[in-house]
Amino acid sequence: MLTEEMKSLIEKQLAMVATVDHSGNPNIGPKRSMRLYDDETLIFNENTGGQTQENIEANGKIEVAFVDREQLKGYRFVGKAELQKTGPMYEEAKAWAEGKMGIPKAVGIIHIEKIFNLQSGANAGKEIK
C-alpha cells in the first residue's frame, strides 16, 4: 500500500495527527513517536493521555499528515485508530521508547484506509489509494 517515498517521509518527518471528539470538534497535534508498523499500519506511543487519546477512545477517527516542507511533498493517511494498554504491541512500544521518552500510557495503532496527496499542483488533495 505504501511507496518507498511515503515510507521515507514517515521515517524522517514529524507527524501531525488530527482527531475529532464526540461532538465533531477537531484536535490536532504532533506525534514524534509516529512510525510505520507495516505496509497498512502506523503506530505511535501515546504519552500524554490527553485529547488525542480521549478522541480515539470515543470514535477512532484519525488522520495523519507528513510533509517535507523543503521538497513540497506530503501525504495524509486516513484510517481507524485503536489504543492498547497491554499486550505484545504495547510491550514493543515500551521497548521502542527506552532511552527516547517515557513509558507510554498506551500504544496507538492506525489502520490505514485511504491516502491523499498533499503536494502542490494538479494532484493536490487527491486520493492516491
Side-chain angles (χ1 to χ4, degrees):
M1 180 180 237
L2 302 177
T3 66
E4 290 305 313
E5 180 181 67
M6 291 174 191
K7 291 176 184 180
S8 178
L9 201 66
I10 291 166
E11 183 180 317
K12 295 176 183 172
Q13 302 298 328
L14 178 65
M16 296 302 290
V17 174
T19 59
V20 294
D21 68 15
H22 62 281
S23 298
N25 298 306
N27 179 66
I28 189 167
K31 288 292 178 195
R32 66 184 176 110
S33 64
M34 188 68 69
R35 57 206 180 272
L36 188 62
Y37 187 74
D38 62 31
D39 278 350
E40 298 176 350
T41 313
L42 296 170
I43 188 171
F44 68 95
N45 290 21
E46 178 53 56
N47 293 318
T48 62
Q51 192 65 53
T52 297
Q53 179 171 329
E54 188 177 314
N55 291 352
I56 290 171
E57 289 171 344
N59 58 48
K61 293 179 181 180
I62 196 163
E63 296 194 10
V64 183
F66 292 91
V67 175
D68 183 330
R69 186 174 179 174
E70 291 178 16
Q71 304 239 352
L72 297 177
K73 291 185 178 184
Y75 299 96
R76 181 168 52 99
F77 301 91
V78 178
K80 198 76 167 165
E82 62 176 296
L83 296 170
Q84 294 182 8
K85 298 176 183 174
T86 61
M89 290 183 86
Y90 176 75
E91 293 303 320
E92 285 179 38
K94 243 170 62 173
W96 180 89
E98 286 181 32
K100 297 178 189 140
M101 56 186 63
I103 297 171
K105 294 183 179 0
V107 60
I109 302 154
I110 302 167
H111 307 282
I112 301 168
E113 297 170 348
K114 296 179 183 179
I115 302 171
F116 292 85
N117 187 334
L118 292 181
Q119 300 176 44
S120 297
N123 292 324
K126 294 200 176 169
E127 187 173 345
I128 297 170
K129 294 183 184 199

